[in-house]
Amino acid sequence: MQPTLTAGVTGTREFLVDRERTIDFMGEDARVYATPMLVRDIEVTCRELLLAHLDAGEDSVGTRVEIDHLAATLLGMKVAITATLAELKGRAAIFDVSATDGLDTICRGRHARFVANVDQVKQRLKQKQAKAAAAG
């Protein structure tokens, strides 16, 4: 991790609420931003913010998401998600997040990520694969 990764670092990313980001179970005239897609976009925003401050061979994984999805966002609207690093405890990064669709604040919450060495993660996954194969 680079010394530029400190509390207060902020980033904003825009997303277009396209068809794939909407719910479909209430019919075509009720397609709105799906909560699972909002969570995905929050993760992308926080990960990209971290990547700008990580060393080569480092990345991050999400470990916790806690949000309030406050308002519906219509198909075709743009969403701006803002992430601010609230705390950095070792390799654990906790972000305050919020999102707006230009009309409403649609989300507030927190997201936690863990900074990991990619090669070490791959090694642990290989070990787990071997255990899984042996178990069954």
Side-chain angles (χ1 to χ4, degrees), residues 83-94:
T84 302
L85 184 60
E87 305 177 46
L88 184 63
K89 294 180 180 178
R91 293 176 108 26
I94 301 170

Side-chain angles (χ1 to χ4, degrees), residues 4 6 20 51 53 72 77 82 102 111 127:
T4 56
T6 59
E20 292 179 9
L51 283 174
H53 302 275
M77 294 181 83
T82 299
H111 175 47
Q127 292 170 353

Side-chain angles (χ1 to χ4, degrees), residues 15-23 31-34 37 41 74-77:
F15 297 88
L16 175 65
V17 179
D18 56 14
R19 193 170 176 78
E20 292 179 9
R21 283 186 164 83
T22 62
I23 62 169
R31 280 194 173 267
V32 294
Y33 201 13
M37 296 307 291
D41 294 342
L74 305 173
L75 175 66
M77 294 181 83

Side-chain angles (χ1 to χ4, degrees), residues 17 20-25 31-43 65-73 81 99 106-108:
V17 179
E20 292 179 9
R21 283 186 164 83
T22 62
I23 62 169
D24 63 358
F25 54 82
R31 280 194 173 267
V32 294
Y33 201 13
T35 302
M37 296 307 291
L38 170 59
V39 169
R40 179 194 172 280
D41 294 342
I42 287 168
E43 287 211 57
V65 178
E66 184 178 346
I67 65 163
D68 294 315
H69 194 166
L70 304 168
T73 301
I81 298 175
I106 63 163
C107 166
R108 276 192 219 103

